[in-house]
Amino acid sequence: MPRILVVEDEEHLAEGLAFNLEAEGFEVELQSAGDTALQRIGAEPPLDLIILDLMLPGLSGFEVARRARATGNYVPILMLTAKDNPQDIVRGMELGADDYLTKPFKLDELVARVRALLRRRRWDGADDEAGPAPPERFGRVTVHFDRLEIERPGGVLQLTPLEASLLHALIAREGEVITRGELLETVWGLRPDTRTRVVDSFVVRLRRYVEEKPERPRHIVSVRGRGYRFVR
Protein backbone atom coordinates (compact mmCIF):
# COMPACT_ATOMS: atom_id res chain seq x y z
CA MET A 1 0.00 0.00 0.00
CA PRO A 2 1.24 3.53 -0.69
CA ARG A 3 2.62 5.05 2.50
CA ILE A 4 1.46 8.62 3.20
CA LEU A 5 2.79 10.95 5.89
CA VAL A 6 0.24 13.50 7.10
CA VAL A 7 1.88 16.48 8.82
CA GLU A 8 -0.90 18.38 10.55
CA ASP A 9 -1.08 19.88 14.06
CA GLU A 10 -4.89 20.08 14.22
CA GLU A 11 -5.55 16.73 15.86
CA HIS A 12 -9.14 16.26 14.72
CA LEU A 13 -8.25 17.09 11.12
CA ALA A 14 -5.20 14.82 11.14
CA GLU A 15 -7.20 11.90 12.54
CA GLY A 16 -10.00 12.52 10.06
CA LEU A 17 -7.56 12.52 7.16
CA ALA A 18 -5.94 9.34 8.40
CA PHE A 19 -9.30 7.58 8.77
CA ASN A 20 -10.50 8.52 5.29
CA LEU A 21 -7.19 7.83 3.53
CA GLU A 22 -6.92 4.43 5.18
CA ALA A 23 -10.47 3.71 4.00
CA GLU A 24 -9.21 4.45 0.46
CA GLY A 25 -6.50 1.82 0.83
CA PHE A 26 -3.51 3.92 1.90
CA GLU A 27 -1.16 3.38 4.83
CA VAL A 28 -0.99 6.59 6.88
CA GLU A 29 1.45 7.98 9.43
CA LEU A 30 0.85 11.17 11.42
CA GLN A 31 3.22 13.89 12.59
CA SER A 32 2.16 17.13 14.27
CA ALA A 33 5.39 19.18 14.21
CA GLY A 34 7.82 20.23 11.51
CA ASP A 35 11.02 18.99 13.13
CA THR A 36 9.73 15.48 13.85
CA ALA A 37 8.21 15.32 10.37
CA LEU A 38 11.57 16.15 8.83
CA GLN A 39 13.20 13.36 10.83
CA ARG A 40 10.59 10.89 9.58
CA ILE A 41 10.98 12.01 5.97
CA GLY A 42 14.65 11.04 6.09
CA ALA A 43 14.03 7.68 7.76
CA GLU A 44 12.94 4.22 6.65
CA PRO A 45 10.65 2.86 5.32
CA PRO A 46 10.47 5.36 2.45
CA LEU A 47 7.34 7.43 1.94
CA ASP A 48 5.24 7.63 -1.22
CA LEU A 49 3.58 10.98 -0.47
CA ILE A 50 3.59 13.79 2.11
CA ILE A 51 0.50 15.85 2.96
CA LEU A 52 2.04 18.91 4.57
CA ASP A 53 0.32 21.71 6.46
CA LEU A 54 2.11 25.06 6.33
CA MET A 55 1.31 26.40 9.79
CA LEU A 56 3.15 24.02 12.12
CA PRO A 57 4.82 24.35 15.52
CA GLY A 58 8.61 24.52 15.25
CA LEU A 59 9.60 24.32 11.62
CA SER A 60 7.01 25.64 9.19
CA GLY A 61 5.77 23.56 6.28
CA PHE A 62 7.77 25.83 4.00
CA GLU A 63 10.97 24.94 5.83
CA VAL A 64 10.15 21.23 5.95
CA ALA A 65 9.70 21.19 2.17
CA ARG A 66 12.87 23.20 1.58
CA ARG A 67 15.04 20.99 3.77
CA ALA A 68 13.59 17.77 2.36
CA ARG A 69 14.37 18.86 -1.19
CA ALA A 70 17.83 20.08 -0.17
CA THR A 71 18.70 16.52 0.90
CA GLY A 72 17.69 15.13 -2.50
CA ASN A 73 14.36 13.70 -1.32
CA TYR A 74 11.81 14.16 -4.10
CA VAL A 75 8.80 12.37 -2.63
CA PRO A 76 5.63 14.17 -3.80
CA ILE A 77 4.41 16.90 -1.44
CA LEU A 78 0.77 18.04 -1.31
CA MET A 79 0.69 21.32 0.58
CA LEU A 80 -2.30 22.22 2.79
CA THR A 81 -2.81 25.84 3.71
CA ALA A 82 -5.51 28.02 5.21
CA LYS A 83 -4.00 30.89 3.26
CA ASP A 84 -5.18 31.74 -0.22
CA ASN A 85 -2.51 34.37 -0.78
CA PRO A 86 -0.97 33.58 -4.19
CA GLN A 87 2.47 34.56 -2.88
CA ASP A 88 2.30 31.85 -0.20
CA ILE A 89 1.21 29.26 -2.73
CA VAL A 90 3.95 30.21 -5.19
CA ARG A 91 6.51 30.18 -2.38
CA GLY A 92 5.45 26.66 -1.43
CA MET A 93 5.81 25.53 -5.03
CA GLU A 94 9.21 27.16 -5.34
CA LEU A 95 10.41 25.37 -2.21
CA GLY A 96 9.43 21.98 -3.56
CA ALA A 97 5.70 21.35 -3.11
CA ASP A 98 4.09 19.53 -6.04
CA ASP A 99 0.49 20.63 -5.52
CA TYR A 100 -1.65 22.45 -2.98
CA LEU A 101 -5.12 22.63 -1.46
CA THR A 102 -6.52 25.50 0.55
CA LYS A 103 -8.58 24.83 3.67
CA PRO A 104 -11.42 24.06 3.86
CA PHE A 105 -11.33 21.45 1.13
CA LYS A 106 -13.56 18.61 0.01
CA LEU A 107 -12.42 15.10 0.81
CA ASP A 108 -13.02 13.81 -2.71
CA GLU A 109 -10.79 16.56 -4.10
CA LEU A 110 -8.03 15.68 -1.65
CA VAL A 111 -8.22 12.00 -2.60
CA ALA A 112 -8.14 12.92 -6.31
CA ARG A 113 -5.00 15.03 -5.80
CA VAL A 114 -3.38 12.23 -3.78
CA ARG A 115 -4.08 9.64 -6.46
CA ALA A 116 -2.84 11.97 -9.19
CA LEU A 117 0.47 12.55 -7.41
CA LEU A 118 0.91 8.85 -6.77
CA ARG A 119 0.30 8.12 -10.46
CA ARG A 120 2.97 10.52 -11.57
CA ARG A 121 5.19 9.16 -14.31
CA ARG A 122 8.59 7.83 -13.27
CA TRP A 123 11.57 9.22 -15.11
CA ASP A 124 14.21 6.60 -14.27
CA GLY A 125 13.08 4.36 -17.15
CA ALA A 126 12.26 1.45 -14.86
CA ASP A 127 8.66 1.24 -16.09
CA ASP A 128 9.33 2.07 -19.71
CA GLU A 129 10.30 -0.79 -22.03
CA ALA A 130 11.66 1.74 -24.51
CA GLY A 131 14.14 3.02 -21.95
CA PRO A 132 14.55 6.49 -20.50
CA ALA A 133 13.83 9.59 -22.55
CA PRO A 134 16.92 10.87 -24.44
CA PRO A 135 18.52 14.19 -23.49
CA GLU A 136 16.94 17.33 -24.92
CA ARG A 137 19.12 20.30 -25.88
CA PHE A 138 17.86 23.81 -26.47
CA GLY A 139 19.19 27.27 -25.77
CA ARG A 140 21.97 26.95 -23.22
CA VAL A 141 20.63 23.89 -21.43
CA THR A 142 20.58 20.09 -21.73
CA VAL A 143 17.79 18.20 -20.00
CA HIS A 144 18.50 14.62 -18.82
CA PHE A 145 15.10 13.14 -18.07
CA ASP A 146 16.62 9.82 -16.94
CA ARG A 147 18.58 11.61 -14.20
CA LEU A 148 16.08 14.40 -13.47
CA GLU A 149 18.81 16.95 -14.21
CA ILE A 150 19.28 20.12 -16.20
CA GLU A 151 22.79 21.07 -17.26
CA ARG A 152 23.14 24.81 -17.66
CA PRO A 153 25.91 27.40 -17.45
CA GLY A 154 27.10 27.44 -13.88
CA GLY A 155 26.21 23.88 -12.94
CA VAL A 156 23.61 21.14 -12.75
CA LEU A 157 20.08 21.61 -11.41
CA GLN A 158 17.92 18.80 -10.01
CA LEU A 159 14.32 18.49 -11.18
CA THR A 160 11.40 16.98 -9.33
CA PRO A 161 9.51 14.28 -11.27
CA LEU A 162 6.54 16.59 -11.82
CA GLU A 163 8.78 19.37 -13.13
CA ALA A 164 10.31 16.85 -15.53
CA SER A 165 6.88 15.61 -16.56
CA LEU A 166 5.66 19.12 -17.34
CA LEU A 167 8.79 19.99 -19.30
CA HIS A 168 8.60 16.75 -21.25
CA ALA A 169 4.91 17.34 -22.05
CA LEU A 170 5.75 20.76 -23.47
CA ILE A 171 8.74 19.52 -25.48
CA ALA A 172 6.79 16.54 -26.85
CA ARG A 173 4.39 18.95 -28.55
CA GLU A 174 6.98 21.46 -29.69
CA GLY A 175 5.45 24.41 -31.51
CA GLU A 176 1.88 23.55 -30.48
CA VAL A 177 -0.26 25.47 -28.01
CA ILE A 178 -1.08 23.27 -25.00
CA THR A 179 -3.90 24.42 -22.76
CA ARG A 180 -3.68 24.46 -18.98
CA GLY A 181 -6.44 21.87 -18.90
CA GLU A 182 -4.48 19.51 -21.13
CA LEU A 183 -1.42 19.88 -18.91
CA LEU A 184 -3.46 19.27 -15.75
CA GLU A 185 -4.77 16.06 -17.30
CA THR A 186 -1.47 14.88 -18.79
CA VAL A 187 0.95 15.76 -15.98
CA TRP A 188 -1.12 15.77 -12.79
CA GLY A 189 -3.86 13.32 -13.79
CA LEU A 190 -6.53 15.86 -12.83
CA ARG A 191 -9.73 16.86 -14.58
CA PRO A 192 -8.99 19.62 -17.10
CA ASP A 193 -11.53 21.91 -15.43
CA THR A 194 -9.92 21.65 -11.97
CA ARG A 195 -9.54 25.09 -10.46
CA THR A 196 -5.87 25.49 -9.61
CA ARG A 197 -2.93 27.70 -10.51
CA VAL A 198 -0.46 24.85 -10.21
CA VAL A 199 0.37 24.85 -13.95
CA ASP A 200 1.31 28.52 -13.93
CA SER A 201 3.37 28.10 -10.74
CA PHE A 202 5.33 25.24 -12.27
CA VAL A 203 5.90 27.15 -15.50
CA VAL A 204 7.41 29.99 -13.44
CA ARG A 205 9.80 27.45 -11.89
CA LEU A 206 10.77 25.91 -15.23
CA ARG A 207 11.44 29.30 -16.78
CA ARG A 208 13.89 30.06 -13.99
CA TYR A 209 15.68 26.83 -14.83
CA VAL A 210 15.86 27.01 -18.63
CA GLU A 211 15.48 30.63 -19.72
CA GLU A 212 18.38 33.05 -19.95
CA LYS A 213 15.92 35.83 -19.06
CA PRO A 214 12.90 34.28 -17.28
CA GLU A 215 10.99 37.56 -17.43
CA ARG A 216 11.30 37.45 -21.24
CA PRO A 217 10.99 33.72 -22.04
CA ARG A 218 12.07 32.35 -25.42
CA HIS A 219 11.41 28.64 -24.95
CA ILE A 220 8.29 28.34 -22.73
CA VAL A 221 6.04 30.98 -24.23
CA SER A 222 2.65 32.10 -22.92
CA VAL A 223 -0.23 32.18 -25.39
CA ARG A 224 -2.72 34.58 -23.89
CA GLY A 225 -6.05 33.05 -23.01
CA ARG A 226 -5.00 29.59 -24.20
CA GLY A 227 -1.94 28.13 -22.52
CA TYR A 228 1.74 27.58 -23.37
CA ARG A 229 3.96 26.68 -26.34
CA PHE A 230 7.48 25.27 -26.34
CA VAL A 231 9.94 26.79 -28.83
CA ARG A 232 13.41 25.28 -29.19
mmCIF file of all heavy atoms in Angstrom, residues 38-67:
data_model
loop_
_atom_site.group_PDB
_atom_site.id
_atom_site.type_symbol
_atom_site.label_atom_id
_atom_site.label_comp_id
_atom_site.label_asym_id
_atom_site.label_seq_id
_atom_site.Cartn_x
_atom_site.Cartn_y
_atom_site.Cartn_z
ATOM 1 N N LEU A 38 10.353 16.166 9.628
ATOM 2 C CA LEU A 38 11.574 16.145 8.829
ATOM 3 C C LEU A 38 12.421 14.924 9.164
ATOM 4 O O LEU A 38 13.012 14.299 8.273
ATOM 5 C CB LEU A 38 12.369 17.427 9.065
ATOM 6 C CG LEU A 38 13.481 17.737 8.073
ATOM 7 C CD1 LEU A 38 12.928 17.872 6.658
ATOM 8 C CD2 LEU A 38 14.197 19.015 8.474
ATOM 9 N N GLN A 39 12.477 14.561 10.441
ATOM 10 C CA GLN A 39 13.205 13.357 10.833
ATOM 11 C C GLN A 39 12.594 12.122 10.192
ATOM 12 O O GLN A 39 13.302 11.244 9.702
ATOM 13 C CB GLN A 39 13.207 13.223 12.350
ATOM 14 C CG GLN A 39 14.010 14.291 13.073
ATOM 15 C CD GLN A 39 13.865 14.208 14.581
ATOM 16 O OE1 GLN A 39 13.312 13.244 15.115
ATOM 17 N NE2 GLN A 39 14.348 15.221 15.282
ATOM 18 N N ARG A 40 11.254 12.060 10.178
ATOM 19 C CA ARG A 40 10.585 10.891 9.585
ATOM 20 C C ARG A 40 10.794 10.843 8.076
ATOM 21 O O ARG A 40 10.970 9.758 7.507
ATOM 22 C CB ARG A 40 9.074 10.948 9.883
ATOM 23 C CG ARG A 40 8.252 9.872 9.165
ATOM 24 C CD ARG A 40 8.731 8.484 9.525
ATOM 25 N NE ARG A 40 8.129 7.452 8.673
ATOM 26 C CZ ARG A 40 8.677 6.971 7.563
ATOM 27 N NH1 ARG A 40 9.855 7.432 7.129
ATOM 28 N NH2 ARG A 40 8.059 6.020 6.875
ATOM 29 N N ILE A 41 10.810 11.983 7.420
ATOM 30 C CA ILE A 41 10.980 12.014 5.968
ATOM 31 C C ILE A 41 12.315 11.402 5.567
ATOM 32 O O ILE A 41 12.428 10.738 4.539
ATOM 33 C CB ILE A 41 10.859 13.462 5.452
ATOM 34 C CG1 ILE A 41 9.410 13.951 5.591
ATOM 35 C CG2 ILE A 41 11.307 13.580 3.992
ATOM 36 C CD1 ILE A 41 9.228 15.430 5.367
ATOM 37 N N GLY A 42 13.328 11.581 6.403
ATOM 38 C CA GLY A 42 14.648 11.044 6.087
ATOM 39 C C GLY A 42 14.886 9.642 6.587
ATOM 40 O O GLY A 42 15.993 9.121 6.453
ATOM 41 N N ALA A 43 13.868 9.008 7.168
ATOM 42 C CA ALA A 43 14.029 7.683 7.759
ATOM 43 C C ALA A 43 13.393 6.607 6.888
ATOM 44 O O ALA A 43 12.776 6.883 5.870
ATOM 45 C CB ALA A 43 13.422 7.660 9.164
ATOM 46 N N GLU A 44 13.547 5.362 7.329
ATOM 47 C CA GLU A 44 12.936 4.215 6.652
ATOM 48 C C GLU A 44 11.690 3.779 7.422
ATOM 49 O O GLU A 44 11.606 3.986 8.625
ATOM 50 C CB GLU A 44 13.935 3.054 6.584
ATOM 51 C CG GLU A 44 15.163 3.353 5.750
ATOM 52 C CD GLU A 44 14.855 3.464 4.261
ATOM 53 O OE1 GLU A 44 13.828 2.871 3.827
ATOM 54 O OE2 GLU A 44 15.610 4.128 3.548
ATOM 55 N N PRO A 45 10.724 3.145 6.758
ATOM 56 C CA PRO A 45 10.650 2.863 5.323
ATOM 57 C C PRO A 45 10.345 4.126 4.533
ATOM 58 O O PRO A 45 9.800 5.092 5.083
ATOM 59 C CB PRO A 45 9.501 1.852 5.225
ATOM 60 C CG PRO A 45 8.624 2.178 6.385
ATOM 61 C CD PRO A 45 9.549 2.617 7.477
ATOM 62 N N PRO A 46 10.681 4.148 3.241
ATOM 63 C CA PRO A 46 10.467 5.360 2.449
ATOM 64 C C PRO A 46 8.982 5.679 2.290
ATOM 65 O O PRO A 46 8.128 4.789 2.320
ATOM 66 C CB PRO A 46 11.107 5.014 1.103
ATOM 67 C CG PRO A 46 11.098 3.522 1.047
ATOM 68 C CD PRO A 46 11.277 3.061 2.456
ATOM 69 N N LEU A 47 8.715 6.965 2.119
ATOM 70 C CA LEU A 47 7.341 7.430 1.937
ATOM 71 C C LEU A 47 7.004 7.532 0.451
ATOM 72 O O LEU A 47 7.889 7.705 -0.389
ATOM 73 C CB LEU A 47 7.177 8.806 2.585
ATOM 74 C CG LEU A 47 7.440 8.876 4.092
ATOM 75 C CD1 LEU A 47 7.581 10.332 4.535
ATOM 76 C CD2 LEU A 47 6.325 8.191 4.861
ATOM 77 N N ASP A 48 5.709 7.451 0.151
ATOM 78 C CA ASP A 48 5.245 7.635 -1.222
ATOM 79 C C ASP A 48 4.628 9.007 -1.437
ATOM 80 O O ASP A 48 4.515 9.465 -2.574
ATOM 81 C CB ASP A 48 4.216 6.561 -1.573
ATOM 82 C CG ASP A 48 4.820 5.163 -1.552
ATOM 83 O OD1 ASP A 48 5.670 4.883 -2.417
ATOM 84 O OD2 ASP A 48 4.460 4.375 -0.660
ATOM 85 N N LEU A 49 4.227 9.679 -0.353
ATOM 86 C CA LEU A 49 3.578 10.978 -0.465
ATOM 87 C C LEU A 49 3.586 11.663 0.893
ATOM 88 O O LEU A 49 3.488 10.991 1.932
ATOM 89 C CB LEU A 49 2.128 10.813 -0.947
ATOM 90 C CG LEU A 49 1.292 12.089 -1.079
ATOM 91 C CD1 LEU A 49 1.720 12.879 -2.312
ATOM 92 C CD2 LEU A 49 -0.188 11.761 -1.176
ATOM 93 N N ILE A 50 3.692 12.993 0.878
ATOM 94 C CA ILE A 50 3.590 13.790 2.106
ATOM 95 C C ILE A 50 2.451 14.790 1.935
ATOM 96 O O ILE A 50 2.412 15.520 0.940
ATOM 97 C CB ILE A 50 4.894 14.549 2.399
ATOM 98 C CG1 ILE A 50 6.059 13.585 2.538
ATOM 99 C CG2 ILE A 50 4.753 15.399 3.667
ATOM 100 C CD1 ILE A 50 7.421 14.268 2.531
ATOM 101 N N ILE A 51 1.521 14.804 2.880
ATOM 102 C CA ILE A 51 0.504 15.847 2.955
ATOM 103 C C ILE A 51 0.962 16.798 4.057
ATOM 104 O O ILE A 51 1.025 16.418 5.226
ATOM 105 C CB ILE A 51 -0.887 15.263 3.263
ATOM 106 C CG1 ILE A 51 -1.313 14.311 2.138
ATOM 107 C CG2 ILE A 51 -1.918 16.374 3.433
ATOM 108 C CD1 ILE A 51 -2.644 13.610 2.377
ATOM 109 N N LEU A 52 1.296 18.015 3.687
ATOM 110 C CA LEU A 52 2.043 18.907 4.566
ATOM 111 C C LEU A 52 1.294 20.211 4.818
ATOM 112 O O LEU A 52 1.082 21.001 3.888
ATOM 113 C CB LEU A 52 3.404 19.202 3.928
ATOM 114 C CG LEU A 52 4.361 20.139 4.653
ATOM 115 C CD1 LEU A 52 4.778 19.554 5.996
ATOM 116 C CD2 LEU A 52 5.588 20.409 3.781
ATOM 117 N N ASP A 53 0.905 20.429 6.080
ATOM 118 C CA ASP A 53 0.316 21.710 6.459
ATOM 119 C C ASP A 53 1.428 22.752 6.551
ATOM 120 O O ASP A 53 2.576 22.426 6.870
ATOM 121 C CB ASP A 53 -0.394 21.567 7.807
ATOM 122 C CG ASP A 53 -1.173 22.819 8.174
ATOM 123 O OD1 ASP A 53 -1.740 23.458 7.270
ATOM 124 O OD2 ASP A 53 -1.219 23.166 9.371
ATOM 125 N N LEU A 54 1.095 24.006 6.279
ATOM 126 C CA LEU A 54 2.108 25.064 6.331
ATOM 127 C C LEU A 54 2.316 25.605 7.733
ATOM 128 O O LEU A 54 3.436 25.885 8.150
ATOM 129 C CB LEU A 54 1.720 26.211 5.399
ATOM 130 C CG LEU A 54 1.867 25.964 3.907
ATOM 131 C CD1 LEU A 54 1.574 27.237 3.136
ATOM 132 C CD2 LEU A 54 3.270 25.470 3.565
ATOM 133 N N MET A 55 1.235 25.786 8.475
ATOM 134 C CA MET A 55 1.314 26.402 9.795
ATOM 135 C C MET A 55 1.519 25.321 10.843
ATOM 136 O O MET A 55 0.570 24.708 11.328
ATOM 137 C CB MET A 55 0.045 27.207 10.078
ATOM 138 C CG MET A 55 -0.284 28.230 8.988
ATOM 139 S SD MET A 55 1.053 29.410 8.705
ATOM 140 C CE MET A 55 0.981 30.346 10.237
ATOM 141 N N LEU A 56 2.784 25.080 11.191
ATOM 142 C CA LEU A 56 3.145 24.021 12.122
ATOM 143 C C LEU A 56 3.963 24.582 13.274
ATOM 144 O O LEU A 56 4.665 25.591 13.104
ATOM 145 C CB LEU A 56 3.978 22.950 11.412
ATOM 146 C CG LEU A 56 3.321 22.167 10.291
ATOM 147 C CD1 LEU A 56 4.371 21.365 9.529
ATOM 148 C CD2 LEU A 56 2.246 21.243 10.840
ATOM 149 N N PRO A 57 3.910 23.946 14.444
ATOM 150 C CA PRO A 57 4.824 24.353 15.520
ATOM 151 C C PRO A 57 6.251 23.972 15.167
ATOM 152 O O PRO A 57 6.495 22.979 14.484
ATOM 153 C CB PRO A 57 4.316 23.545 16.728
ATOM 154 C CG PRO A 57 3.581 22.382 16.141
ATOM 155 C CD PRO A 57 2.997 22.870 14.851
ATOM 156 N N GLY A 58 7.210 24.783 15.605
ATOM 157 C CA GLY A 58 8.606 24.523 15.253
ATOM 158 C C GLY A 58 8.867 24.941 13.829
ATOM 159 O O GLY A 58 8.600 26.075 13.434
ATOM 160 N N LEU A 59 9.347 24.022 13.026
ATOM 161 C CA LEU A 59 9.603 24.318 11.622
ATOM 162 C C LEU A 59 8.285 24.464 10.863
ATOM 163 O O LEU A 59 7.370 23.670 11.036
ATOM 164 C CB LEU A 59 10.419 23.195 10.977
ATOM 165 C CG LEU A 59 11.834 22.947 11.506
ATOM 166 C CD1 LEU A 59 12.449 21.763 10.781
ATOM 167 C CD2 LEU A 59 12.694 24.175 11.336
ATOM 168 N N SER A 60 8.201 25.476 10.019
ATOM 169 C CA SER A 60 7.009 25.640 9.188
ATOM 170 C C SER A 60 7.003 24.604 8.073
ATOM 171 O O SER A 60 8.029 23.978 7.762
ATOM 172 C CB SER A 60 6.977 27.039 8.580
ATOM 173 O OG SER A 60 7.997 27.169 7.598
ATOM 174 N N GLY A 61 5.847 24.439 7.434
ATOM 175 C CA GLY A 61 5.770 23.555 6.284
ATOM 176 C C GLY A 61 6.685 23.995 5.162
ATOM 177 O O GLY A 61 7.249 23.169 4.438
ATOM 178 N N PHE A 62 6.844 25.316 4.993
ATOM 179 C CA PHE A 62 7.771 25.832 3.996
ATOM 180 C C PHE A 62 9.180 25.281 4.240
ATOM 181 O O PHE A 62 9.860 24.819 3.324
ATOM 182 C CB PHE A 62 7.836 27.360 4.053
ATOM 183 C CG PHE A 62 6.603 28.061 3.567
ATOM 184 C CD1 PHE A 62 5.947 28.966 4.376
ATOM 185 C CD2 PHE A 62 6.113 27.847 2.289
ATOM 186 C CE1 PHE A 62 4.823 29.634 3.941
ATOM 187 C CE2 PHE A 62 4.989 28.509 1.827
ATOM 188 C CZ PHE A 62 4.339 29.406 2.661
ATOM 189 N N GLU A 63 9.616 25.353 5.499
ATOM 190 C CA GLU A 63 10.975 24.937 5.828
ATOM 191 C C GLU A 63 11.131 23.428 5.727
ATOM 192 O O GLU A 63 12.189 22.930 5.313
ATOM 193 C CB GLU A 63 11.349 25.423 7.233
ATOM 194 C CG GLU A 63 12.794 25.190 7.629
ATOM 195 C CD GLU A 63 13.797 25.957 6.756
ATOM 196 O OE1 GLU A 63 13.380 26.856 5.988
ATOM 197 O OE2 GLU A 63 15.001 25.647 6.843
ATOM 198 N N VAL A 64 10.102 22.693 6.095
ATOM 199 C CA VAL A 64 10.151 21.232 5.951
ATOM 200 C C VAL A 64 10.346 20.857 4.490
ATOM 201 O O VAL A 64 11.196 20.025 4.156
ATOM 202 C CB VAL A 64 8.869 20.584 6.506
ATOM 203 C CG1 VAL A 64 8.834 19.095 6.167
ATOM 204 C CG2 VAL A 64 8.787 20.771 8.021
ATOM 205 N N ALA A 65 9.577 21.480 3.598
ATOM 206 C CA ALA A 65 9.705 21.194 2.169
ATOM 207 C C ALA A 65 11.090 21.568 1.660
ATOM 208 O O ALA A 65 11.722 20.805 0.915
ATOM 209 C CB ALA A 65 8.624 21.944 1.392
ATOM 210 N N ARG A 66 11.560 22.739 2.060
ATOM 211 C CA ARG A 66 12.871 23.205 1.582
ATOM 212 C C ARG A 66 13.976 22.249 2.001
ATOM 213 O O ARG A 66 14.828 21.860 1.193
ATOM 214 C CB ARG A 66 13.163 24.604 2.121
ATOM 215 C CG ARG A 66 14.435 25.221 1.542
ATOM 216 C CD ARG A 66 14.843 26.471 2.283
ATOM 217 N NE ARG A 66 15.351 26.172 3.631
ATOM 218 C CZ ARG A 66 16.577 25.718 3.882
ATOM 219 N NH1 ARG A 66 17.425 25.482 2.893
ATOM 220 N NH2 ARG A 66 16.947 25.482 5.126
ATOM 221 N N ARG A 67 13.981 21.860 3.275
ATOM 222 C CA ARG A 67 15.040 20.988 3.770
ATOM 223 C C ARG A 67 14.956 19.590 3.169
ATOM 224 O O ARG A 67 15.994 18.965 2.901
ATOM 225 C CB ARG A 67 14.990 20.925 5.298
ATOM 226 C CG ARG A 67 15.305 22.248 5.979
ATOM 227 C CD ARG A 67 15.536 22.053 7.467
ATOM 228 N NE ARG A 67 15.644 23.324 8.169
ATOM 229 C CZ ARG A 67 15.971 23.438 9.446
ATOM 230 N NH1 ARG A 67 16.208 22.343 10.176
ATOM 231 N NH2 ARG A 67 16.059 24.617 10.025
#
